[in-house]
Amino acid sequence: MPDEQMAASGSTPGSVPVPPGGAPSAPQTPPTPPRPLDPIDRSIMRLLQADGRASIRSVAEQVHVSRANAYARINRLIDDGVIRGFTARVNHERAGQGASAYITLKIVQNSWRTVREKLRELPGAAHIALVSGDFDVLLLVHTPDNRTLRELVLTRLQSIPEVLSTRTLLVFEETDLLDAGRGPNSAQAISEE
């Protein structure tokens, strides 16, 4: 921009432009990119996914680093938001939630945030994802039985004004891949990567 135009707009070379009728806006700093993860970080994550109650000592031994190094790495993964928390993996059938389903939803354009908040309130909602393709939202639910699932879909979901249509996919059997690698040699397989 030539100097005359900058003077007319209230800016000088090197200054922050002033929006019409307002104070200069603070320069926005871009979000810091995530730190790259090395094979040890990835091994620590897999170990903690398989057993969130693993001790620092156990983790350190399995990935062949000192306890202080393992402790620092886990804290960095938490601080960086890579590890969001520690939870229990539940056998839903044994916990009295014998019916599971993936439900696809088509929703009103630009209503994702509103719909997401309403879906969070549903009893048994386990996972919500905004996706591309033939539908907009993928919802995983666990309910005590098919009657409760039917009520959830027909009464709760279809009463949300922003939901245009739903399709329910019953889960007949599921396999937790985090459990699949557990066995006598699983720790060895993790630490050798």
Side-chain angles (χ1 to χ4, degrees):
M1 178 184 283
D3 290 342
E4 304 85 44
Q5 288 178 330
M6 283 196 286
S9 70
S11 297
T12 57
S15 71
V16 176
V18 179
S25 59
Q28 293 188 0
T29 57
T32 56
R35 292 184 237 189
L37 302 179
D38 65 18
I40 293 173
D41 292 328
R42 292 185 191 286
S43 292
I44 289 172
M45 288 187 325
R46 280 191 290 278
L47 284 168
L48 292 176
Q49 283 178 305
D51 181 6
R53 296 174 53 181
S55 69
I56 298 289
R57 179 178 162 192
S58 170
V59 170
E61 288 173 357
Q62 291 184 60
V63 299
H64 308 294
V65 297
S66 70
R67 282 190 292 184
N69 188 335
Y71 182 80
R73 283 173 178 268
I74 292 169
N75 280 336
R76 189 191 79 227
L77 292 168
I78 292 168
D79 291 344
D80 287 353
V82 175
I83 294 176
R84 298 181 302 170
F86 299 88
T87 63
R89 289 195 320 275
V90 176
N91 179 325
H92 296 286
E93 192 171 345
R94 292 187 60 89
Q97 298 176 314
S100 296
Y102 287 96
I103 304 169
T104 66
L105 295 86
K106 288 187 181 181
I107 61 173
V108 172
Q109 190 172 2
N110 297 323
S111 65
W112 163 241
R113 287 178 181 84
T114 303
V115 170
R116 179 182 58 197
E117 294 312 309
K118 291 177 182 177
L119 295 179
R120 281 182 173 170
E121 297 171 6
L122 291 176
H127 183 83
I128 305 165
L130 178 67
V131 297
S132 64
D134 293 337
F135 48 88
D136 305 306
V137 178
L138 183 62
L139 169 67
L140 172 62
V141 296
H142 303 288
T143 62
D145 52 39
N146 284 340
R147 181 182 307 266
T148 308
L149 177 61
R150 180 180 166 270
E151 282 300 309
L152 185 133
V153 173
L154 297 179
T155 305
R156 301 285 300 267
L157 276 178
Q158 293 183 358
S159 69
I160 298 172
E162 296 84 0
V163 173
L164 302 173
S165 67
T166 64
R167 178 174 285 166
T168 304
L169 308 166
L170 291 176
V171 174
F172 295 129
E173 184 177 320
E174 58 186 324
T175 301
D176 187 346
L177 297 180
L178 295 175
D179 285 338
R182 297 188 76 173
N185 298 323
S186 63
Q188 181 181 3
I190 291 171
S191 64
E192 290 178 351
E193 291 180 349

